[in-house]
């Protein structure tokens, strides 16, 4: 509980879910018992967690340093990834299983964009980080079947401008739209296509 308290205080600006105290404390306690028994678990989403939730993963690594200092137990990156998922679930107000789904959602769209342009992108760039953050909360709306309240006339005008200025990013956004409608039965509105176009354009130009 002391370690959980330290972790939550370190990130108190972004964490408001008191249930994190319970879930994180339970996870740390269970992890310590597992390590003492020599039982190590592999985190199947570790690579994605490192890429999509960098700040949360760094906090997970910091948590491991507290555990090592207090209990003399060295845990690996897999465990930092599990801790990061607990933090992410608290940030978005969902349980761990929902976060796994959202992570898969992000991965699928990023793969589509990479394949569309036939290139990798700078994953350390601000534009890439912003795109991933957008996809995280966009994924929440998709799974909740929620829509933005939007000004259709304004967004339609902006989308027309973006279509002409960023032809390929717009066409890529339409591919994303098709994927989401087909796989998640969620119909994207012009506003969502507009945001996707802007984000894709930025990571392509790396601005």
């Amino acid at each position: 509980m002391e370690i959980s308290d330290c972790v939550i205080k370190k990130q108190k600006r972004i964490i408001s879910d008191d249930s994190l105290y319970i879930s994180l404390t339970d996870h740390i306690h269970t992890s310590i018992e597992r390590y003492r028994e020599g039982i190590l678990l592999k985190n199947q989403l570790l690579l994605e967690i490192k890429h999509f939730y960098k700040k949360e993963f760094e906090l997970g690594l910091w948590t491991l340093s507290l555990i090592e200092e207090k209990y003399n137990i060295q845990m690996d990156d897999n465990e930092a990834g599990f801790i990061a998922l607990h933090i992410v679930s608290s940030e978005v107000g969902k349980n761990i299983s929902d976060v796994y789904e959202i992570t898969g959602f992000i991965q699928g769209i990023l793969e589509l964009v990479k394949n569309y342009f036939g290139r990798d992108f700078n994953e350390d760039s601000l534009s890439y980080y912003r795109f991933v953050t957008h996809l995280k909360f966009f994924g929440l709306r998709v799974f909740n079947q929620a829509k933005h309240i939007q000004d259709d006339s304004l967004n339609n005008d902006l989308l027309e401008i973006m279509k002409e200025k960023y032809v390929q990013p717009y066409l890529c956004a339409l591919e994303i739209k098709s994927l989401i409608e087909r796989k998640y039965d969620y119909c994207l509105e012009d506003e969502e296509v507009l945001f996707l176009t802007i984000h894709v354009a930025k990571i392509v130009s790396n601005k």
Side-chain angles (χ1 to χ4, degrees), residues 39-51:
I39 302 173
L40 309 183
L41 297 181
K42 183 175 179 60
N43 192 326
Q44 300 297 331
L45 291 177
L46 183 59
L47 183 62
E48 288 80 3
I49 293 168
K50 287 182 176 180
H51 287 168

Side-chain angles (χ1 to χ4, degrees), residues 17 22 25 42 49 69 77 90 92 95 131 145 150 159 165 169 174 179 183 200 206:
D17 184 5
I22 299 173
T25 299
K42 183 175 179 60
I49 293 168
E69 179 181 348
D77 285 3
S90 175
V92 301
N95 59 42
F131 187 34
Q145 293 290 309
Q150 59 181 16
L159 186 57
K165 186 174 183 179
L174 291 183
L179 170 68
K183 187 172 182 179
V200 171
N206 194 26

